[in-house]
């Protein structure tokens, strides 16, 4: 047999690692990487911008639990992915970005080649967990193995691999198709015993659950019920205990939730980094790290950032299952009462305007149970991050926390729909944010990604305008004129509907769902 080229071997190895979809825009610097794609089992999705490719890979990863893969050209193709990679880094999303780079003998010489960067790897090392260059065909197999192990074994994030154009076409004889498996990081038995002792001594325990607990909903529920402990879920933890008597689906930045935390004699924090956009979003300095704290996190670096009475370095699901296995006695910690009081107080605290915006998200959830609602930085998303209970673990995610990349919602929703075609997917964006990435609706049509794009049109960056007024600053630059989104949808041959009354949203969503194709709904906000 004719030896495969390095580019063809890349596709074979990706298949072996379980990759079924890649997002990318081909160019002259990646043609050889595409040589084996047409004959493979991997589906290629073409976005309208490389940033969209990486955002799609992000949404795909969050929905599927597998790494999302983006394939881009050297130079501008790769730099266009940086924003999305930074969002994935902040939210611990596994993403593999594979790029070209100019031929080896030109690197770092400033020869003025097309798409040349002085130090592409040096740039990517600042945002990715790692950046590797394939200097010879023999390096491809171990590099991919390291990349997938990195994304699966510890705290996940984006990984970059670059392949020089003069390596892509080289013969790659002897490269076999195999995949690595990452062992679950379990908790040390002695550490679990110490945790058991601390828990047994507590009378008013509380659990904080973040995005790192998304795969541990059953064990989390079991432990909470054993301890009679309320569970506060951060934005990325919503859906873990939907409608449960112990659930508190409210932001730890709210005074009511902080009061609950302050009154607890033991806090068990699972997969949460105590980031300010969850715990101090008003930047009032009111968050105080619990004095009696058990932290469970897969990342040792993260555990070192906040002092804890006991740190458990382990996979969240494995650690919670180990604690459940201790069969801790059912407590009389008034957990249901404490949770209910906090829920009621938090709902009142956010006030009527924010309540009304959060109810928009509840409308969407109630029309589409078990859906993915993928948000951008817009008023209903901010509101729901403050208070909202989703009915699917990992089904509510957005870029309005952490890195906060505007334009995330539409492409990430497309990625989620491609990962889980049988699950309803709704993109929720503001008119300002939607203009960052609206051409990606064309990619949704191409890929037949069944996404309903909901646009909250308040004629500009209303949240920023409000913040400027609150700070005594005359608003400037916050009123970009929105286009006629329905006409844009029509130009893409996409069904669209404009609403002037929010009460009409459930009906519009049902009509869109019946079409079983990408649709757009624009809500005109007074």
């Amino acid at each position: 047999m004719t030896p495969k080229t390095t580019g063809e071997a890349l596709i074979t190895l990706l298949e072996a690692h379980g990759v079924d979809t890649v997002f990318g825009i081909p160019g002259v610097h990646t043609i050889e990487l595409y040589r084996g794609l047409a004959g493979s089992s991997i589906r290629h999705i073409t976005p309208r911008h490389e940033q969209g490719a990486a955002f799609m890979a992000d949404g795909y990863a969050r929905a599927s639990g597998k790494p999302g893969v983006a394939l881009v050209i050297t130079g501008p193709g790769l730099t266009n992915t940086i924003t999305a990679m930074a969002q994935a880094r902040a939210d611990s999303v596994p993403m593999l970005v594979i790029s070209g780079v100019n031929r080896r003998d030109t690197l770092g010489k400033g020869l003025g080649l097309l798409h040349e960067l002085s130090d592409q790897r040096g740039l990517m090392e600042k945002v990715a967990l790692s950046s590797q260059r394939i200097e010879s065909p023999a390096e491809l197999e171990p590099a991919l193995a390291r990349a997938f192990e990195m994304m699966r074994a510890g705290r996940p994030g984006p990984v970059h691999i670059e392949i020089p154009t003069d390596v892509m076409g080289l013969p790659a004889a002897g490269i076999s198709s195999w995949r690595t498996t990452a062992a679950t990081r379990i908790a040390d038995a002695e550490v679990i015993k110490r945790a058991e002792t601390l828990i047994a001594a507590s009378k008013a325990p509380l659990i904080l659950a973040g995005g790192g607990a998304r795969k541990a909903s059953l064990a989390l529920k079991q432990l909470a019920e054993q301890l009679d402990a309320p569970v506060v879920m951060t934005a990325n933890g919503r859906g873990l205990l939907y409608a449960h008597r112990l659930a508190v689906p409210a932001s730890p930045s709210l005074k009511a939730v902080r009061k609950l935390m302050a009154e607890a004699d033991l806090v068990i924090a699972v997969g949460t980094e105590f980031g300010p956009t969850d715990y101090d979003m008003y930047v009032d300095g009111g968050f105080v790290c619990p004095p009696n704290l058990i932290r469970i996190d897969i990342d040792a670096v993260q555990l070192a950032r906040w002092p804890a009475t006991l740190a458990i370095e382990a996979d969240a699901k494995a650690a919670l299952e180990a604690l459940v296995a201790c069969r801790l006695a059912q407590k009389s910690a008034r957990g249901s009462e404490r949770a209910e009081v906090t829920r009621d107080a938090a709902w009142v605290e956010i006030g009527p305007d924010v309540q009304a915006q959060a109810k928009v998200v509840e409308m969407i959830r109630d029309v589409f149970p078990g859906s993915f609602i993928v948000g951008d930085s817009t008023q209903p998303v901010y509101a729901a991050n403050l208070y909202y209970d989703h009915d699917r673990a990992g089904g509510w995610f957005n870029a309005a926390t952490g890195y906060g990349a505007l334009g995330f919602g539409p492409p990430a929703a497309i990625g989620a729909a491609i990962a889980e075609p049988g699950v309803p997917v709704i993109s929720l964006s503001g008119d300002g944010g939607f203009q960052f990435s609206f051409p990606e609706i064309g990619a949704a049509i191409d890929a037949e990604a069944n996404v309903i794009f909901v646009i909250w049109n308040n004629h500009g960056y209303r949240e920023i305008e409000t913040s400027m007024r609150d700070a005594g600053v005359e608003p400037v630059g916050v009123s970009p004129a929105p286009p006629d989104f329905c006409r844009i949808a029509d130009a893409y041959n996409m069904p669209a509907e404009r609403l002037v009354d929010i009460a009409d949203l459930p009906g519009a969503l049902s009509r869109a769902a019946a079409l079983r194709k990408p649709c757009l709904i624009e809500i005109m906000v007074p």
Side-chain angles (χ1 to χ4, degrees), residues 105-120:
D105 64 347
T106 69
L107 298 179
K109 295 182 178 179
L111 300 176
L113 296 175
L114 180 65
H115 303 328
E116 183 179 29
L117 283 169
S118 60
D119 184 2
Q120 183 170 279

Side-chain angles (χ1 to χ4, degrees), residues 323-346:
L323 291 174
V324 169
C326 293
R327 300 187 183 279
L328 297 154
Q330 177 79 30
K331 292 180 176 289
S332 298
R334 299 184 299 105
S336 298
E337 177 187 341
R338 291 158 60 208
E340 182 179 11
V341 168
T342 304
R343 287 194 301 267
D344 291 346

Side-chain angles (χ1 to χ4, degrees), residues 377-379 382 404 406 458 460-480:
S377 297
T378 190
Q379 286 180 318
Y382 286 125
L406 204 55
N458 56 19
Y461 304 130
R462 184 68 61 83
E463 196 72 16
I464 303 302
E465 179 181 348
T466 300
S467 297
M468 293 177 83
R469 292 190 187 281
D470 289 345
V473 175
E474 182 68 23
V476 175
V478 293
S479 302

Side-chain angles (χ1 to χ4, degrees), residues 101-179:
V101 71
N102 286 309
R103 67 179 193 270
R104 289 168 292 177
D105 64 347
T106 69
L107 298 179
K109 295 182 178 179
L111 300 176
L113 296 175
L114 180 65
H115 303 328
E116 183 179 29
L117 283 169
S118 60
D119 184 2
Q120 183 170 279
R121 273 192 64 203
L123 177 64
M124 300 314 296
E125 285 175 339
K126 301 300 183 184
V127 66
L129 296 177
S130 76
S131 177
Q132 304 175 70
R133 179 181 303 141
I134 307 303
E135 297 280 1
S136 69
E139 294 181 5
L140 178 63
E141 186 178 31
L144 278 171
R146 285 194 299 271
F148 278 93
E149 183 178 8
M150 189 172 294
M151 291 185 289
R152 290 169 172 154
R155 183 182 182 184
V159 177
H160 170 242
I161 291 176
E162 66 180 20
I163 306 177
T165 54
D166 61 322
V167 174
M168 295 176 186
L170 292 179
I175 291 183
S176 59
S177 57
W178 60 282
R179 62 180 296 176

Side-chain angles (χ1 to χ4, degrees), residues 283-300:
V283 199
D284 59 9
F287 170 66
V288 177
C289 191
N292 197 19
L293 173 66
I294 296 175
R295 283 197 73 188
I296 299 172
D297 203 288
I298 201 167
D299 184 15

Side-chain angles (χ1 to χ4, degrees), residues 425-515:
V425 178
I426 300 88
S427 164
L428 179 56
S429 300
D431 60 293
F434 195 73
Q435 290 183 72
F436 274 52
S437 55
F438 76 77
E440 300 302 353
I441 65 176
I445 294 170
D446 290 347
E448 298 181 346
N450 194 4
V451 178
I452 299 175
F453 299 95
V454 178
I455 303 172
W456 181 261
N457 190 346
N458 56 19
H459 305 278
Y461 304 130
R462 184 68 61 83
E463 196 72 16
I464 303 302
E465 179 181 348
T466 300
S467 297
M468 293 177 83
R469 292 190 187 281
D470 289 345
V473 175
E474 182 68 23
V476 175
V478 293
S479 302
D484 187 323
F485 291 110
C486 289
R487 291 181 68 182
I488 287 176
D490 184 61
Y492 280 96
N493 199 27
M494 176 183 287
E497 185 172 350
R498 179 177 291 119
L499 308 180
V500 294
D501 188 341
I502 194 63
D504 295 332
L505 179 58
L509 290 168
S510 297
R511 289 189 292 274
L515 295 173

